[in-house]
Amino acid sequence: MEIYDLLYKWVPVYLRLPILFILFFVVLTANGVFAGNITDMFSSLGEYNEPYTQAANAMYIGMGLGLILHTRMKMRFSSKTLLIAGLSGMLLMNIICATTSNPTLTVFACLFIGITKISALIEVYIIWMIIWSKKLDTKKLYPFVYFTALCGLYFVTWLTTRLAYDYNWRFSYIVIFIMLLVCILLALIFAENHPLKKRLPLYQMDYPGLILLGAAMLLLNYAVVNGTVEDWLESKKIVAALFGAVISFLLFIRRELTTKHPIFDMQTFNKANFRLGLLYFFLLGIFIPGTFQSAFSGGILHYEMIRNMELNLYLIPGIMLGCIYCYIWYLKEFDEELLIMTGFLAFVIYHILMYNNFVTDFNIQGFLIPLIIKGFGQALLYISVGLLLTRNFSLTKIMGAGGAMLIVRSFLGSAVCSAFYSYFLYAERIKRFNYLAGLTDPNNSLIKEHGTSIDFYKDLQGQAVLTASKELSGYIIIAGIILLTILLIKYIYQKLMNRIIAS
């Protein structure tokens, strides 16, 4: 793989770093759909919300596929070509997301946003890696990457939600268009085109394998997102989607093991750190979804979407602290396992605080400390587990490993757990509401105190949501304590074995 400086040599340092940061920030944050806009999108278009949740997941699937694909693309096209093509593709797909009324088209547009995003991202990422460490040490780079990615994404999500709230969800894309156009202009002016000395042909690429993997993930995406509304295995569509996902994935594995030019090296799974990293990221999906928090803030406290997005801004101080903490931790070369345990501990503490705060008079300031702790844990785990997973990989192999990491971390873990949580809250809310309503006497004086029976039953509905959310949070806390216990036992056992071997 040929690596060249992205910008012309005549570009001064005081311009070089801001240009690279703008490119990095925009590529990381310019997604096709944003959490705060989804409600306005499906409401104004008269659609269900599930296709737009699928679109958000499809973007991460596309990023995973794009990372796997980019190894070969990097050996065929120059950095400037890939950067401009990626930015242009993102702009075009965002225009489609902003103008179309077809939810299926939005899903596929977000899929291609993810693929094209990687084309631009990797070119800037490599230059930042060289800036942070001449030895290409990602331990110094990752805190900066996740500070930019996580803080930037929460900020842009709040900004687009604010625009959608004040005007219209389509207008919120204007800021995305402007950012991408500025980046394209910067790339055209300041990025230098270095023709490759050796170009590898694209016809040898395993396109069928890429299609099979993409099909498996998209079918699984459909199944987990629509499971609640279609009653899971009672729906023929869900059964067909799950069956198609399994068959497609098995065919993908078979092809990668037998084809001459596999798009993903299955030998990657022979590395213990890779397997362990994927497991940690999948388990992270238990703690990171905000499903029950959204149910609490929306269903109990009746916050508008803009308020929910403002809550996410509370994560930013915690993410900043987590990134600084990780940078110092790795600089001092402390034990990585302890850092991972600290990250999971932060999530358990967050859920314990939320569990104790599930009350109807909870105010917005009460979210501050729990969300700072959650942001701290998120930064610790994204950085530490990411470094664990990609350790001892060459630059060419790390892209395939990173693609698998993205799919597991940002889609499989969170989407599967979010689907389970949504169904649990839905089923438990109905069960508890029916139980409370069955105990109610319409002539009871308490109903008269609430004004009307409708107001009283609204309160029952709120109590049902509150109880279901608290129960779900309790299960998550138990799971977290079990996980921490296992990690602590594993850590102590490894230390004892190392001492025995050393002696």
Side-chain angles (χ1 to χ4, degrees):
M1 183 182 295
E2 300 176 31
I3 298 177
Y4 300 98
D5 195 359
L6 184 62
L7 305 181
Y8 285 106
K9 295 187 185 304
W10 56 261
V11 180
V13 175
Y14 62 84
L15 282 180
R16 181 179 295 268
L17 294 180
I19 289 170
L20 289 172
F21 181 78
I22 291 170
L23 291 171
F24 203 48
F25 175 86
V26 173
V27 173
L28 284 169
T29 58
N31 299 337
V33 295
F34 298 90
N37 292 0
I38 289 178
T39 302
D40 291 321
M41 291 175 76
F42 72 76
S43 298
S44 66
L45 297 174
E47 301 284 349
Y48 290 109
N49 71 319
E50 281 72 23
Y52 298 98
T53 305
Q54 284 179 250
N57 292 336
M59 198 275 296
Y60 291 110
I61 294 172
M63 287 184 69
L65 297 176
L67 260 176
I68 296 171
L69 177 69
H70 194 76
T71 304
R72 182 55 65 90
M73 303 297 289
K74 181 70 176 165
M75 298 177 183
R76 180 64 181 84
F77 300 105
S78 68
S79 297
K80 184 170 185 174
T81 302
L82 290 171
L83 177 62
I84 294 175
L87 291 168
S88 302
M90 289 176 67
L91 177 61
L92 177 61
M93 293 300 109
N94 270 283
I95 290 173
I96 291 174
C97 290
T99 56
T100 186
S101 298
N102 186 332
T104 303
L105 187 57
T106 303
V107 173
F108 282 98
C110 286
L111 177 71
F112 285 104
I113 283 174
I115 294 173
T116 55
K117 180 194 286 277
I118 291 298
S119 179
L121 178 63
I122 294 301
E123 302 311 312
V124 187
Y125 174 89
I126 291 173
I127 303 304
W128 274 115
M129 185 162 58
I130 295 170
I131 291 171
W132 279 93
S133 173
K134 299 299 181 184
K135 297 179 180 179
L136 306 183
D137 184 6
T138 51
K139 291 178 182 177
K140 295 181 179 180
L141 174 67
Y142 267 39
F144 167 74
V145 170
Y146 285 110
F147 165 75
T148 308
L150 296 174
C151 295
L153 183 59
Y154 288 127
F155 173 76
V156 171
T157 300
W158 167 80
L159 179 61
T160 53
T161 307
R162 179 83 259 177
L163 292 171
Y165 182 80
D166 291 338
Y167 303 102
N168 181 280
W169 67 268
R170 296 188 193 273
F171 283 88
S172 64
Y173 281 92
I174 293 175
V175 68
I176 305 299
F177 299 157
I178 293 172
M179 290 194 305
L180 287 170
L181 285 170
V182 168
C183 286
I184 291 172
L185 188 62
L186 290 174
L188 287 170
I189 296 172
F190 296 105
E192 184 176 1
N193 188 39
H194 296 278
L196 299 182
K197 296 176 183 178
K198 183 180 178 181
R199 294 173 179 245
L200 292 183
L202 292 179
Y203 68 85
Q204 294 180 343
M205 192 181 297
D206 183 22
Y207 295 107
L210 187 70
I211 293 170
L212 284 171
L213 179 59
M217 294 300 105
L218 289 174
L219 287 169
L220 181 62
N221 186 22
Y222 175 85
V224 297
V225 171
N226 292 276
T228 299
V229 296
E230 296 192 21
D231 200 14
W232 293 101
L233 298 181
E234 295 299 321
S235 167
K236 292 181 179 179
K237 290 182 180 180
I238 298 296
V239 172
L242 289 173
F243 181 76
V246 171
I247 295 300
S248 298
F249 190 66
L250 291 176
L251 289 173
F252 165 74
I253 293 174
R254 181 179 180 276
R255 181 169 181 84
E256 298 311 292
L257 292 172
T258 56
T259 190
K260 186 177 179 181
H261 299 287
I263 198 166
F264 182 80
D265 185 5
M266 300 302 291
Q267 298 299 319
T268 304
F269 285 95
N270 290 337
K271 290 185 177 291
N273 62 294
F274 178 74
R275 299 193 303 270
L276 186 60
L278 289 183
L279 176 61
Y280 283 153
F281 272 134
F282 187 81
L283 293 174
L284 179 59
I286 297 173
F287 306 99
I288 208 166
T291 309
F292 80 96
Q293 180 183 304
S294 299
F296 175 55
S297 61
I300 305 299
L301 304 179
H302 305 294
Y303 288 170
E304 296 176 316
M305 186 56 67
I306 185 63
R307 294 290 171 262
N308 284 323
M309 292 304 105
E310 286 174 358
L311 288 180
N312 286 337
L313 295 179
Y314 289 163
L315 292 165
I316 292 178
I319 292 168
M320 293 173 63
L321 288 173
C323 291
I324 295 169
Y325 187 84
C326 282
Y327 185 84
I328 297 171
W329 188 276
Y330 282 108
L331 194 66
K332 299 293 185 180
E333 298 183 349
F334 293 145
D335 199 310
E336 188 175 59
E337 287 292 324
L338 288 175
L339 190 62
I340 292 172
M341 282 191 280
T342 304
F344 281 115
L345 177 62
F347 274 101
V348 173
I349 293 172
Y350 159 75
H351 284 284
I352 290 173
L353 291 174
M354 291 303 300
Y355 181 88
N356 292 324
N357 289 326
F358 276 134
V359 290
T360 54
D361 59 347
F362 193 62
N363 58 55
I364 195 168
Q365 288 76 24
F367 284 97
L368 179 60
I369 300 302
L371 287 176
I372 286 177
I373 294 172
K374 181 182 179 181
F376 179 78
Q378 186 175 2
L380 258 59
L381 289 175
Y382 270 45
I383 294 168
S384 59
V385 179
L387 287 169
L388 170 69
L389 187 147
T390 55
R391 184 182 300 142
N392 300 325
F393 282 104
S394 64
L395 193 57
T396 54
K397 297 289 184 182
I398 204 171
M399 291 188 188
M405 177 188 76
L406 266 170
I407 290 174
V408 172
R409 185 194 71 197
S410 300
F411 166 58
L412 283 179
S414 59
V416 170
C417 290
S418 291
F420 172 76
Y421 293 164
S422 297
Y423 180 75
F424 179 89
L425 289 172
Y426 167 77
E428 286 299 309
R429 177 173 57 83
I430 292 176
K431 181 174 126 180
R432 293 176 184 283
F433 176 78
N434 289 338
Y435 174 77
L436 292 171
L439 298 176
T440 303
D441 181 0
N443 297 316
N444 194 300
S445 60
L446 287 174
I447 295 181
K448 296 178 181 178
E449 292 176 10
H450 281 76
T452 66
S453 58
I454 294 176
D455 293 331
F456 182 72
Y457 281 109
K458 281 183 180 179
D459 286 344
L460 288 185
Q461 189 81 285
Q463 287 297 324
V465 174
L466 187 64
T467 309
S469 298
K470 196 158 189 173
E471 183 177 359
L472 175 59
S473 184
Y475 286 137
I476 295 172
I477 292 168
I478 293 170
I481 293 171
I482 292 171
L483 176 59
L484 284 170
T485 304
I486 293 171
L487 291 178
L488 184 59
I489 293 171
K490 173 178 171 286
Y491 176 76
I492 294 172
Y493 174 77
Q494 285 178 340
K495 289 297 180 183
L496 289 174
M497 291 302 295
N498 289 339
R499 286 185 182 181
I500 292 171
I501 293 170
S503 60

